[in-house]
Amino acid sequence: MLKRKTPFIYLLCLFLLLLGTQGCSTVKQGQPEEKKPQALTQLNASYSTRPINVPAIVALDQHNFEKDFQGEGIDFKWTEIAAGPAQLEALASKSIDISTSMNYVSALLAKANGNDIKVVAGYSQFPKGIAIVAQTELNVKTLADLKGKKIALQKGTMLHEFLIKALKKENLSPGDVEMVAMESVDAAPALMGGQIDAAILPDPLLTKVVSSGKGTLVLNAEGLITGQTFIVARADFALEHPEAVKRFIQLHEESIHWAEQNKEQFYSVAGEQLKLEPKAVAALYPKFMFSTEINSEMIHELKLSAQFLQENGFIKSTINTDQLMDDLVGTSH
């Protein structure tokens, strides 16, 4: 019976197609049409000039991003967002498309918690520019001397991982100290004012506190964490506008190159933005390495950090950390 009806069905479909209808299409029936991404007209990105974020300082001074994207008919806007959680919130709400200088722990935890972000490039490394600083009056010689003391830090960041690893090295546990959640810009004056016993601080706050004589450097992060930060985009934005992301990274690299080629001018520009003497900027500059590269060694370190965070209860035990890394960074780097 079916064989007899088939020619009739084909003739009917042909007749309807000639009339301009798609009703009998066996290919497109039930399949949604692919939506082409709309042309990009606006790009919003976040920045932070601290600790000594060279590319951000140059970009703000030269307005190279605004000028370049404007030439493509794209309205570019910078928004200052320093803390990792605030950067992630802005990405999740789509108030920004790209975030610069996001620390690796914040990125890992966000991805593990379902925030659909994508690492698109490296930003910086500065383990020498992060340290545990104690009140000078306490006469602290080693981290063990801070047992039972109040230590301020930004929780859920690489500063948190640094402290846990440093404590473990001294055969101490996180419970042996009292961790106080506090942003670095608040922790520095709190330490100098005697409200806390110690703090995990990045430069230039670190140098400022030690130079004041009210803080003593106990241990820096070199050898314990990479101090890595990244350029991160919303996953949907990176997928829909790969050329814009690529151009963003190119402009970022141009900013790094300009600073390298014009150091004295950069020290002056950075000094104005950070309210530091140019010579202070020059002294801090070597502690920071800026690169967009994401190499195999970096990915290996990230996988180890993901495992560490999982072992310490930051990431659920049910999550496959290798898959997490593939989703966050991808295999194309």
Side-chain angles (χ1 to χ4, degrees), residues 30-221:
Q31 295 181 4
E33 291 185 14
E34 288 187 16
K35 290 184 179 179
K36 292 183 179 180
Q38 293 182 342
L40 186 64
T41 58
Q42 186 166 357
L43 200 166
N44 299 305
S46 73
Y47 76 91
S48 174
T49 56
R50 295 180 181 276
I52 303 286
N53 282 342
V54 171
I57 292 167
V58 173
L60 291 175
D61 180 65
Q62 299 190 351
H63 304 285
N64 54 333
F65 283 77
E66 292 90 339
K67 293 172 184 174
D68 190 275
F69 279 107
Q70 189 62 49
E72 299 293 326
I74 300 169
D75 182 28
F76 183 89
K77 182 183 177 183
W78 283 116
T79 300
E80 184 173 14
I81 308 177
Q87 292 174 25
L88 291 163
E89 185 179 337
L91 286 166
S93 66
K94 297 191 175 183
S95 60
I96 62 171
D97 307 303
I98 298 175
S99 178
T100 60
S101 68
M102 181 177 292
N103 77 83
Y104 66 94
V105 172
S106 291
L108 285 168
L109 295 182
K111 192 68 174 180
N113 289 323
N115 194 329
D116 199 11
I117 58 173
K118 194 79 173 176
V119 165
V120 295
Y123 189 84
S124 68
Q125 286 187 349
F126 55 102
K128 292 181 181 179
I130 299 170
I132 300 170
V133 184
Q135 272 194 56
T136 302
E137 292 180 359
L138 295 177
N139 197 29
V140 172
K141 301 297 182 184
T142 69
L143 186 59
D145 295 330
L146 287 172
K147 186 174 181 178
K149 303 294 185 183
K150 290 182 179 180
I151 303 179
L153 72 157
Q154 285 180 270
K155 289 189 174 182
T157 68
M158 60 184 172
L159 306 185
H160 200 161
E161 182 181 356
F162 165 42
L163 179 57
I164 293 173
K165 286 184 173 180
L167 288 168
K168 186 177 181 180
K169 193 175 180 182
E170 292 286 340
N171 295 315
L172 297 172
S173 71
D176 287 323
V177 297
E178 184 181 344
M179 294 189 196
V180 180
M182 194 178 293
E183 289 196 23
S184 301
V185 291
D186 299 319
L191 176 65
M192 291 190 288
Q195 297 160 3
I196 52 176
D197 301 307
I200 315 291
L201 296 174
D203 267 317
L205 294 170
L206 165 61
T207 298
K208 181 180 179 181
V209 171
V210 173
S211 298
S212 73
K214 296 182 179 180
T216 302
L217 193 151
V218 180
L219 179 72
N220 74 27

Side-chain angles (χ1 to χ4, degrees), residues 244-313:
V245 172
K246 182 179 178 181
R247 187 57 188 145
F248 183 97
I249 295 169
Q250 288 173 342
L251 289 167
H252 177 82
E253 289 174 340
E254 289 172 15
S255 295
I256 297 171
H257 181 73
W258 184 90
E260 276 292 308
Q261 298 299 312
N262 303 275
K263 285 185 180 178
E264 294 302 322
Q265 190 176 343
F266 170 75
Y267 298 154
S268 179
V269 170
E272 288 180 16
Q273 289 198 30
L274 298 172
K275 295 181 173 56
L276 294 171
E277 289 294 325
K279 63 181 181 180
V281 177
L284 292 169
Y285 187 84
K287 291 186 179 182
F288 298 82
M289 184 187 77
F290 294 90
S291 172
T292 58
E293 181 185 12
I294 298 177
N295 56 37
S296 57
E297 182 182 350
M298 198 181 296
I299 290 177
H300 176 68
E301 289 293 333
L302 278 171
K303 285 185 176 181
L304 292 178
S305 288
Q307 292 167 10
F308 173 85
L309 292 168
Q310 190 172 59
E311 289 166 3
N312 284 272

